[in-house]
């Protein structure tokens, strides 16, 4: 029970004090952004979530970015709907989307949903700027914040809270 209550604080402490490279932090932020922007319940979001967990990226930064962009994505839904409608109704990619939809896995991808296509386009458009921001966070901000936070016993305890919780049960 205690591990469940402390998990968000532990993830934040690990994200701020991890010894990951700036590239790992940046890719974690990008994948978390993509997972957070996309509506859940389709194959694209599940695949990106598996990639976030399976690849060697900063999982804490990805989870924090995913949570932040999940809150932002609600406000972007009308814009994403318009972008997705323009893409889905245009003649050029229509044959591709029709072919994808007629595969046995096609309806699960969500490519027939205007919001999914629009949020995917917005996410891909923001991927490079978010990589630059994530790299800057991992290179400049994280070492300073980590050095500052590790002076406190509570942060050191939170970083080891999962280890103690698994040993205790």
């Amino acid at each position: 029970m205690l591990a469940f209550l402390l998990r968000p604080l532990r993830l934040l402490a690990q994200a701020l004090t991890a010894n990951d490279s700036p590239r790992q932090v940046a890719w974690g932020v990008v994948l978390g952004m993509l997972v957070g922007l996309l509506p859940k319940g389709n194959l694209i979001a599940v695949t990106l979530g598996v990639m976030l967990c399976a690849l060697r990226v900063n999982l804490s930064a990805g989870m924090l970015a995913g949570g932040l962009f999940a809150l932002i994505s609600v406000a972007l839904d009308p814009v994403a709907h318009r972008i997705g409608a323009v893409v889905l109704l245009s003649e050029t990619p229509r044959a591709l989307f029709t072919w994808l939809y007629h595969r046995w896995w096609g309806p699960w991808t969500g490519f027939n949903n205007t919001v999914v296509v629009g949020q995917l386009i917005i996410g891909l458009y923001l991927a490079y700027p978010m990589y630059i921001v994530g790299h800057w966070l991992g290179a400049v901000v994280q070492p300073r914040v980590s050095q500052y936070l590790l002076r406190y016993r509570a942060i050191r305890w939170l970083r080891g809270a999962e280890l103690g919780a698994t040993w205790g049960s």
Side-chain angles (χ1 to χ4, degrees), residues 101-116:
Y101 188 76
H102 288 307
R103 301 297 109 199
W104 63 270
W105 44 266
W108 292 336
T109 60
F111 277 127
N112 57 340
N113 188 342
T114 57
V115 176
V116 171

Side-chain angles (χ1 to χ4, degrees), residues 7 11 28-29 31-33 35 49 52-53 58-69:
R7 187 170 180 86
L11 284 174
V29 169
L31 285 173
M33 176 203 59
V35 169
L52 177 64
C53 293
N58 190 324
L59 183 62
S60 301
M63 293 291 186
L64 288 172
L68 177 70
F69 278 97

